[in-house]
Amino acid sequence: MENKIEDYISRMCDPTEKDAYIFADKLAKIGDEAVIQRLIEILKSDDHENAQLAAMALSKIKNNFTALEPMLEVIHKKENKLSNGVFVQSLEGFDLSGKFIDLFRIYLFGNFKSSALAKEMLDTVEFELTPRVLKKMEKHWNHFQNNTDTNSNEFEIKKMEVEEMFEEIKEIFSEDSTTNEL
């Protein structure tokens, strides 16, 4: 099996391989911890195309929770900011219920595609929200405001959307405290 995995990896990473994605899919089907670890190595490599293939494969693996943090590290790297859309899209294959703040940061600071994908996930994933999450959200929002042109249309749109998120989260907390009082 180890030889088969290495063969699939070398074929996936071969720049002359026309169907590299097929080997990424084969690795995802195997999907054991050894495959996950090898794909994480490729994900973190300097070869952007291979890293994208690794990200797509990791997103298709059922028990991929060990790859989530490395995936987020790659997404948040400054040098990937302008080309991390495939990585963000790959997050759809992960359990993101505890990653509200990471998605919020991608939404605020990501490129157009990454930001749009993160917003969609923020709107559709069910998160584990706590008052601490709200505090971190406020911190990142303040940082965004202090480092962005506040006169742009993009800022105004994000401001409206973020204010709506704040209201919804605060409403959830007020509902929880009312329920607890009963």
Side-chain angles (χ1 to χ4, degrees):
M1 182 66 116
E2 191 174 317
N3 289 341
K4 186 185 243 186
I5 292 169
E6 288 307 315
D7 180 50
Y8 290 166
I9 286 174
S10 68
R11 301 237 2 229
M12 180 186 84
C13 294
D14 182 349
T16 63
E17 178 61 61
K18 292 177 185 156
D19 297 322
Y21 66 92
I22 290 173
F23 297 98
D25 287 344
K26 288 181 180 205
L27 288 163
K29 283 184 179 132
I30 295 170
D32 64 12
E33 194 58 33
V35 168
I36 291 172
Q37 291 309 312
R38 287 290 283 124
L39 289 171
I40 289 171
E41 289 173 24
I42 296 165
L43 177 72
K44 291 181 170 187
S45 74
D46 291 333
D47 187 317
H48 200 70
E49 286 185 33
N50 288 340
Q52 289 179 338
L53 286 166
M56 292 183 327
L58 286 165
S59 78
K60 294 176 181 176
I61 295 174
K62 187 173 183 175
N63 294 317
N64 59 6
F65 52 90
T66 57
L68 182 55
E69 286 303 321
M71 182 77 73
L72 290 167
E73 287 172 25
V74 168
I75 290 168
H76 291 308
K77 282 175 71 173
K78 285 187 184 348
E79 53 269 22
N80 290 335
K81 181 180 179 182
L82 298 177
S83 59
N84 66 6
V86 170
F87 301 123
V88 175
Q89 188 171 3
S90 295
L91 289 175
E92 294 172 350
F94 291 86
D95 174 8
L96 300 171
S97 60
K99 297 300 177 186
F100 181 90
I101 292 300
D102 283 294
L103 288 172
F104 186 68
R105 285 178 56 206
I106 296 165
Y107 165 68
L108 289 178
F109 301 106
N111 64 36
F112 182 78
K113 180 179 180 179
S114 298
S115 182
L117 288 167
K119 177 67 169 100
E120 183 179 327
M121 290 176 211
L122 286 167
D123 290 342
T124 57
V125 172
E126 192 169 316
F127 294 99
E128 300 163 6
L129 297 174
T130 64
R132 182 179 172 154
V133 168
L134 185 60
K135 286 229 184 281
K136 286 183 177 182
M137 185 182 173
E138 288 169 343
K139 178 187 124 194
H140 290 296
W141 175 239
N142 288 333
H143 179 73
F144 179 79
Q145 290 179 93
N146 292 330
N147 294 290
T148 303
D149 176 12
T150 57
N151 295 319
S152 71
N153 286 339
E154 178 190 358
F155 175 80
E156 286 303 317
I157 291 168
K158 283 195 177 177
K159 181 179 178 187
M160 288 179 359
E161 292 175 343
V162 169
E163 286 174 351
E164 185 179 325
M165 284 185 224
F166 277 125
E167 284 179 36
E168 289 173 1
I169 292 170
K170 288 177 181 177
E171 189 176 302
I172 290 169
F173 291 141
S174 69
E175 287 174 5
D176 285 350
S177 66
T178 306
T179 305
N180 290 338
E181 289 174 7
L182 299 175

